Amino acid sequence: MTCAACVRRVENVLREVPGVTEVGVNLATARATVSHNAGWAGVEALRQVVADQGYEFLGIPDDAREDPIGAAREKELKDLKARFAVGIVLSGVIFLGSMQHWFPFLMGIPRQPLLVVLFFLTTPVVFWVGSRFFIGAIKAARQRTTDMNTLVAVGALAAWLYSSLATFFPRFFAGAEIMPHVYYDGAAFIVTLIILGRLLEAGAKGKTSQAIQRLMGLKPKTARVVREGAETDIPIEGVVKGDLVVVRPGEKIPTDGVVVSGNSSVDESMLTGESMPVAKETGTEVFAATINRTGSFTFRATRIGAETALAQIIRLVEEAQGSKAPIQRLADKVASIFVPVVFGIGLLTFAVWYFLVPDPVFSRALLNFISVLVIACPCALGLATPTAVMVGTGLGAENGILIKGGESLENAYRLRTVVFDKTGTLTRGEPEVTDILPVSGVTPAEVLQAALDIEAVSEHPLARAVLERGKREGLLAEAVTGFAAVSGLGAKAVRNGKTVLLGNRRFLEGEGIAGEDLEDEAARLAGEGKTSVFVAEGGRVLGLLGFSDQPKPSAAAAVAALKGMGLKVAMITGDNAGTAKAMGKTLGIDRILAEVLPGDKAAEIRRLREAGEVVAMVGDGINDAPALTAADIGIAIGAGTDVAIEASDITLMKDDLLAVPRAIRLSFETMRTIRQNLFWAFIYNIIGIPIAAGVLYPLWGILLNPEFAAAAMAMSSVSVVSNSLRLRRRWRRIL
C-alpha cells in the first residue's frame, strides 16, 4: 500500500467479505484488523479479495514465526535502494544531455543523435525504476479507481511521451511552429525523486515500529526445566504449564510463574518502567523476559506463550498501533475523492494554459498539467495519523504505559476531569487498626475479639488489618456460623448464639441498632482521615475500630501535576464524607464523592459525563472495572491483569501515580503531533497544487518545474513521518 486511497480500497473490499463486521487498515504498519461473526467466509476469502485488488496477503501474525511484514519491509528497502541508485546515476547523465547548452564540453555533439541516446537512457528509468507506479496504476484502473500511483505514472508517462514525439517526430512540432524541446530529465527525476521519498519513508516507518521490535526481541529463546530430577535446557516452545524452571543470576526469566524455592531480586523495568529491582521469594510472581539479578530460584510455570504478560503487552501495542484515531476519518474522506479531483484540476490547468492564455504553448500547458499531478500527495494524508499513533503507543509501552489505541489517545486529549479511586489507588490499600474504642463496661480486647472472629472468614480489605492486630495482641479467632457479607456496608455472623455485626453506621441502623454513644469518637476519627467501623453483638454496640490507610508517596505530586495541566481532580470512595475529606485535604483534592458503593461508582462517573465533563477514571482495574468502562478514559494503575487490560483504555504497569499525568501528557503530545501532521498534509496540497497550476505566473512569472514538484511531493511524506519521530525527543524532555 502506498497512500490513503490504497487503505480505503483494501478496507472496502474486506468489508464485503461475508460475515465481516468491522475492518481497520493501517498504512504505517501494513496490517488489517478484521472483526467477524462465527459464520464468516474465512481467511481464504480475505486472501482472495486482497489479491484481487493487486496487493499481497502476507498471512496472520504468529508468535512462532518471523514477522512477515518486517521481512517484506527489508526486501522493499533493498529494492528501493537499488532502483534509486540506478535512477539517480542515469538521471544525472540525462540532465547533462538535456541541458547541453549549459555545458561547453557537450556543445560539439549533434542534437538529434543526443536526443536518441537520452531516449534510451530515460526509458529504463521511467519503466524499470518507476515500474511500481505503473503496476499500481494498472491495478487501480482494473478496479475502476485511481490512487497516488496513477498520478505519478500519468505525470511521468506524459513527460516521456512528449519528449519521445519531439525526438522522433520533430516535424509535427515544427509544423505547429513550436520549437521541439524534450523533458527527459523531468520524466527521469520525477520517478527517481519519488523513489527517494519512498526509500526515506520506508526507513522512517521502520523507526516508528522500533517499540514492537524491541519488545519482540525481549522474548527468551530457551528455558532450564527440571525433568525427571535433572535440569535440562529446552526451547521456550517446549515449556508447559506446571514445569519447574530454574533461573540463575543474570539470566532472563523464560515465562510467567510463581516462585517455589529460593529468593532473588529481579529487574522488571521492561515490564513496568521501574528501574529498581523487585525482591522475589516463595509465593511471589515472576514474569517472562525480566532479568534475574542476584540469587538463584526455582519457579513453577503458570502462563506460557501468548498468555504471558509480555505477550499481552505486545498484542496490546500491536492492536494500538494498528488502530485509527477518529480524527483520521477526515483524512479518509478526503482520500476517497482526492485523486479524481486532482485529475480534474490537472485537466482544467492544461485547458486554461492551452486554450485561454495569450500565446499558448503546448509544452507549457503539458508541464503544468504534469506538475499538478506530481505534486499532489495523498501519501502524507495516509501517514499523518498512524505514524504518530505508532510512536506514541510505542513510547508508552517502553515506559510502562499501555495505550489501547488511537481512540483512547484522542479521548485523553479532550480530558477535563480525572477521578481517582481512593483505596489501593491513592492510598497503599493496606489499612491498619489504629484505634480500639469500647463503650462503657466493655474492654478493648472484647471489641477486637468480636471483630477478629467475624473477619477471620471475611475477604474484605479491612479483614487483614484486624487479623494482624489480633495476632499482635495474641488473640485467636473463634468459630462463627451464618457468615454473610453486605457489599459496601459490612458483615454479620453468629457467635455463641448471638449475632455479631461489623460495619458502618448505616449498616447498624438498618439492623435496628443505634450507635449514638460513639458518634463523637467516629467524628474525631473521620477528622483525622481514618475509617470507622462499628462492632455490635446481641443487639448492642460494643465499640468502634479506627482504620488508617496512608497515601502513596507519589499521590500528592500526581494530583499537583494534573492540576498544573489545567485538569480538575476528584476522588471517589465508599468511605464516609469526613474520612474522605480529610484524605482529600492531605492530597490537595477538593472535589470528593464519598459514601459511594462499589456498584454505584459507574453511575457517578456517568453523571459527571452527562454534566458535560470528559472524565478519566483511575482505579486498580479489578473491582473498579465497571467505573473504568463507564468513563471516557479508564486508567488502570499498578495492574497487569487481563481484567485491567480489557476494562481500561490505558494500563499503567507500575504502581506509581506520577505515571497518570505522564500518560495524559503523552496523549496530549501525540494528538498534537497528529494535528500538526494533518495540517501540513492539507496545507501542502492547498498551497502546492495552485502553484503547480500556475496561479503565481500572472504576478511574478513563477511556474513550477515537474522536477521540483516531484521533490516536494516526495519530501511531504518524509516530513510527516519525521515530525512523528520528533515525538521521541519531546518525550525525553518531558520525562
Short mmCIF file of all heavy atoms in Angstrom, two decimals, residues 240-263:
data_model
loop_
_atom_site.label_atom_id
_atom_site.label_comp_id
_atom_site.label_asym_id
_atom_site.label_seq_id
_atom_site.Cartn_x
_atom_site.Cartn_y
_atom_site.Cartn_z
N VAL A 240 5.80 -26.30 29.37
CA VAL A 240 4.36 -26.49 29.58
C VAL A 240 4.00 -26.01 30.97
O VAL A 240 4.86 -25.88 31.85
CB VAL A 240 3.96 -27.97 29.40
CG1 VAL A 240 4.24 -28.44 28.00
CG2 VAL A 240 4.68 -28.86 30.42
N LYS A 241 2.71 -25.71 31.16
CA LYS A 241 2.25 -25.26 32.48
C LYS A 241 2.56 -26.33 33.53
O LYS A 241 2.36 -27.52 33.28
CB LYS A 241 0.75 -24.99 32.45
CG LYS A 241 0.37 -23.76 31.64
CD LYS A 241 -1.13 -23.52 31.71
CE LYS A 241 -1.54 -22.34 30.85
NZ LYS A 241 -2.99 -22.10 30.88
N GLY A 242 3.05 -25.87 34.66
CA GLY A 242 3.39 -26.78 35.75
C GLY A 242 4.85 -27.17 35.78
O GLY A 242 5.32 -27.72 36.79
N ASP A 243 5.61 -26.88 34.72
CA ASP A 243 7.04 -27.18 34.72
C ASP A 243 7.75 -26.39 35.81
O ASP A 243 7.42 -25.22 36.07
CB ASP A 243 7.66 -26.81 33.37
CG ASP A 243 7.64 -27.95 32.38
OD1 ASP A 243 7.41 -29.10 32.81
OD2 ASP A 243 7.83 -27.70 31.17
N LEU A 244 8.75 -27.02 36.43
CA LEU A 244 9.63 -26.32 37.35
C LEU A 244 10.80 -25.77 36.55
O LEU A 244 11.48 -26.51 35.84
CB LEU A 244 10.14 -27.25 38.45
CG LEU A 244 9.08 -27.73 39.46
CD1 LEU A 244 9.70 -28.70 40.46
CD2 LEU A 244 8.47 -26.54 40.20
N VAL A 245 11.03 -24.46 36.64
CA VAL A 245 12.05 -23.78 35.84
C VAL A 245 13.08 -23.17 36.79
O VAL A 245 12.73 -22.50 37.76
CB VAL A 245 11.42 -22.69 34.96
CG1 VAL A 245 12.48 -22.07 34.05
CG2 VAL A 245 10.28 -23.26 34.12
N VAL A 246 14.36 -23.41 36.49
CA VAL A 246 15.46 -22.89 37.31
C VAL A 246 16.03 -21.65 36.63
O VAL A 246 16.29 -21.66 35.42
CB VAL A 246 16.56 -23.95 37.49
CG1 VAL A 246 17.73 -23.38 38.31
CG2 VAL A 246 16.00 -25.20 38.16
N VAL A 247 16.25 -20.59 37.41
CA VAL A 247 16.82 -19.34 36.88
C VAL A 247 18.04 -18.97 37.71
O VAL A 247 17.96 -18.89 38.94
CB VAL A 247 15.79 -18.19 36.92
CG1 VAL A 247 16.37 -16.95 36.23
CG2 VAL A 247 14.49 -18.59 36.24
N ARG A 248 19.16 -18.75 37.04
CA ARG A 248 20.40 -18.38 37.70
C ARG A 248 20.64 -16.88 37.58
O ARG A 248 20.00 -16.21 36.77
CB ARG A 248 21.56 -19.17 37.08
CG ARG A 248 21.47 -20.66 37.35
CD ARG A 248 22.50 -21.43 36.57
NE ARG A 248 22.36 -22.87 36.78
CZ ARG A 248 22.96 -23.79 36.06
NH1 ARG A 248 23.73 -23.43 35.04
NH2 ARG A 248 22.79 -25.08 36.32
N PRO A 249 21.58 -16.33 38.36
CA PRO A 249 21.85 -14.89 38.29
C PRO A 249 22.23 -14.44 36.88
O PRO A 249 22.99 -15.11 36.17
CB PRO A 249 23.02 -14.70 39.26
CG PRO A 249 22.90 -15.83 40.22
CD PRO A 249 22.37 -16.98 39.41
N GLY A 250 21.66 -13.30 36.46
CA GLY A 250 21.96 -12.72 35.15
C GLY A 250 21.13 -13.26 34.01
O GLY A 250 21.24 -12.76 32.89
N GLU A 251 20.31 -14.28 34.27
CA GLU A 251 19.52 -14.89 33.20
C GLU A 251 18.14 -14.23 33.08
O GLU A 251 17.61 -13.69 34.06
CB GLU A 251 19.34 -16.38 33.45
CG GLU A 251 20.63 -17.18 33.36
CD GLU A 251 20.41 -18.66 33.58
OE1 GLU A 251 19.36 -19.05 34.15
OE2 GLU A 251 21.28 -19.45 33.18
N LYS A 252 17.57 -14.31 31.85
CA LYS A 252 16.20 -13.88 31.65
C LYS A 252 15.24 -14.94 32.17
O LYS A 252 15.49 -16.14 32.00
CB LYS A 252 15.91 -13.64 30.16
CG LYS A 252 16.39 -12.32 29.62
CD LYS A 252 15.94 -12.16 28.18
CE LYS A 252 16.41 -10.82 27.62
NZ LYS A 252 15.98 -10.64 26.21
N ILE A 253 14.16 -14.49 32.77
CA ILE A 253 13.12 -15.42 33.20
C ILE A 253 12.33 -15.83 31.95
O ILE A 253 11.83 -14.96 31.23
CB ILE A 253 12.22 -14.78 34.27
CG1 ILE A 253 13.06 -14.49 35.52
CG2 ILE A 253 11.03 -15.66 34.59
CD1 ILE A 253 12.37 -13.65 36.56
N PRO A 254 12.24 -17.14 31.66
CA PRO A 254 11.69 -17.55 30.36
C PRO A 254 10.18 -17.43 30.20
O PRO A 254 9.68 -17.27 29.10
CB PRO A 254 12.13 -19.02 30.25
CG PRO A 254 12.37 -19.46 31.65
CD PRO A 254 12.81 -18.26 32.42
N THR A 255 9.42 -17.53 31.29
CA THR A 255 7.96 -17.44 31.18
C THR A 255 7.39 -16.97 32.51
O THR A 255 8.13 -16.80 33.48
CB THR A 255 7.37 -18.80 30.76
OG1 THR A 255 5.99 -18.63 30.41
CG2 THR A 255 7.49 -19.84 31.86
N ASP A 256 6.09 -16.75 32.58
CA ASP A 256 5.46 -16.30 33.83
C ASP A 256 5.30 -17.47 34.78
O ASP A 256 5.05 -18.62 34.36
CB ASP A 256 4.08 -15.70 33.54
CG ASP A 256 4.16 -14.39 32.77
OD1 ASP A 256 5.28 -14.01 32.37
OD2 ASP A 256 3.12 -13.76 32.56
N GLY A 257 5.38 -17.19 36.07
CA GLY A 257 5.19 -18.25 37.04
C GLY A 257 5.22 -17.75 38.46
O GLY A 257 5.22 -16.55 38.72
N VAL A 258 5.29 -18.71 39.42
CA VAL A 258 5.30 -18.41 40.85
C VAL A 258 6.51 -19.09 41.47
O VAL A 258 6.75 -20.29 41.24
CB VAL A 258 4.01 -18.90 41.53
CG1 VAL A 258 4.07 -18.65 43.03
CG2 VAL A 258 2.79 -18.21 40.93
N VAL A 259 7.28 -18.35 42.27
CA VAL A 259 8.49 -18.88 42.90
C VAL A 259 8.12 -19.97 43.91
O VAL A 259 7.23 -19.78 44.74
CB VAL A 259 9.28 -17.75 43.59
CG1 VAL A 259 10.51 -18.32 44.31
CG2 VAL A 259 9.71 -16.69 42.58
N VAL A 260 8.81 -21.11 43.82
CA VAL A 260 8.56 -22.21 44.77
C VAL A 260 9.73 -22.40 45.73
O VAL A 260 9.57 -22.98 46.81
CB VAL A 260 8.26 -23.53 44.04
CG1 VAL A 260 6.97 -23.42 43.25
CG2 VAL A 260 9.41 -23.94 43.11
N SER A 261 10.94 -21.93 45.36
CA SER A 261 12.08 -22.02 46.27
C SER A 261 13.14 -21.01 45.86
O SER A 261 13.25 -20.65 44.68
CB SER A 261 12.68 -23.43 46.26
OG SER A 261 13.23 -23.74 44.99
N GLY A 262 13.91 -20.55 46.84
CA GLY A 262 14.96 -19.57 46.59
C GLY A 262 14.43 -18.15 46.66
O GLY A 262 13.23 -17.91 46.80
N ASN A 263 15.35 -17.20 46.60
CA ASN A 263 14.96 -15.79 46.58
C ASN A 263 15.99 -15.00 45.80
O ASN A 263 17.14 -15.43 45.64
CB ASN A 263 14.79 -15.25 48.00
CG ASN A 263 16.02 -15.45 48.85
OD1 ASN A 263 17.04 -14.79 48.65
ND2 ASN A 263 15.95 -16.40 49.78
#
